[in-house]
Amino acid sequence: MGYQHSTAPWVAMLDNDMLVPAGWLGQLMQTALRQPKAGAIAPWCEIYPARFRGAPPEIRSEIVRGANNLYRRAALEAAAEQPGQLYTEPFATLQGRADTDLNYRIAEAGYDLWLAGDVVLHHLGGSGRGAAGLTRRFGDRAAMQSAEGEFAKKWSCCGIRREAEANAPA
C-alpha cells in the first residue's frame, strides 16, 4: 500500500526483520541507475546461494525471489495484475510466495531482475530461526501449503505462467 502514496520513481521494500548495513540503499540505487531495464535490484540475504554473497551486481532473474528489494515504480505498475495490486491472493500470507510471484510478474513485463551480492542484508526471521521456533514465520502451515499449491498452479519452472506454457506452440 505504501508505494501507492508515493510518486518516487524507485521504491524500496524491506521486511521488518531485516538487518541492514549503512549505505545499503545508496549501493542498490547506484546499480539501479546504471541499468535502464532493471525492474528490481535485490541485495544478497540468506535466501540466496552463498556463492553470490559479495559478488558484483548481475542479472539473476532465475533466482531473485525475495521482496526486500529496490523496485522501479514503472515495473511495479507493469506487474500489477489488477491496478495498484502488487500482492494478490492467495499468496498474501507469511511465506506464501507473494514476493516470488511479484518478481516473476516483473520479469514477465520485460524488466530485468538484478542480484547485488555486494550489498548484504541479514534476515533475522529467516528459515533457520523459524524451524527452531524462534519466529512466527512458520505459524500457519495450512495457509502456507495452500499458497504453495496455488503458486504451483500459476507458475512453472523459472517464472513461466502455466497457461502461457500450455498455449505455447509445440
Side-chain angles (χ1 to χ4, degrees):
M1 288 175 36
Y3 99 100
Q4 296 170 336
H5 299 284
S6 165
T7 58
W10 291 91
V11 176
M13 294 190 193
L14 195 63
D15 288 350
N16 65 351
D17 59 351
M18 296 299 291
L19 181 62
V20 301
W24 69 277
L25 188 54
Q27 287 177 273
L28 294 179
M29 197 69 219
Q30 287 176 10
T31 299
L33 293 175
R34 290 191 302 265
Q35 307 305 331
K37 286 190 64 188
I41 313 295
W44 184 91
C45 72
E46 290 84 357
I47 67 169
Y48 298 120
R51 70 181 182 276
F52 295 116
R53 184 177 181 170
E58 63 176 312
I59 296 174
R60 300 303 308 202
S61 296
E62 77 280 9
I63 67 168
V64 172
R65 56 188 189 270
N68 297 300
N69 303 333
L70 177 64
Y71 288 102
R72 184 183 302 269
R73 169 179 290 289
L76 291 173
E77 291 169 355
E81 293 190 330
Q82 297 175 21
Q85 186 177 22
L86 297 182
Y87 294 112
T88 58
E89 289 295 342
F91 310 120
T93 180
L94 289 174
Q95 285 294 92
R97 302 295 296 263
D99 43 7
T100 306
D101 181 67
L102 174 61
N103 292 325
Y104 280 178
R105 288 186 279 123
I106 286 171
E108 185 180 62
Y111 290 90
D112 296 331
L113 303 176
W114 284 73
L115 180 64
D118 57 346
V119 180
V120 176
L121 306 187
H122 293 286
H123 199 180
L124 299 176
S127 58
R129 289 173 185 84
L134 300 175
T135 178
R136 291 180 30 181
R137 184 179 192 130
F138 294 96
D140 189 351
R141 290 198 187 277
M144 289 170 20
Q145 289 172 340
S146 173
E148 188 68 34
E150 292 300 318
F151 183 86
K153 287 182 201 174
K154 183 175 181 180
W155 298 103
S156 67
C157 175
C158 302
I160 299 170
R161 281 191 196 251
R162 293 215 181 263
E163 63 263 21
E165 186 178 60
N167 295 330

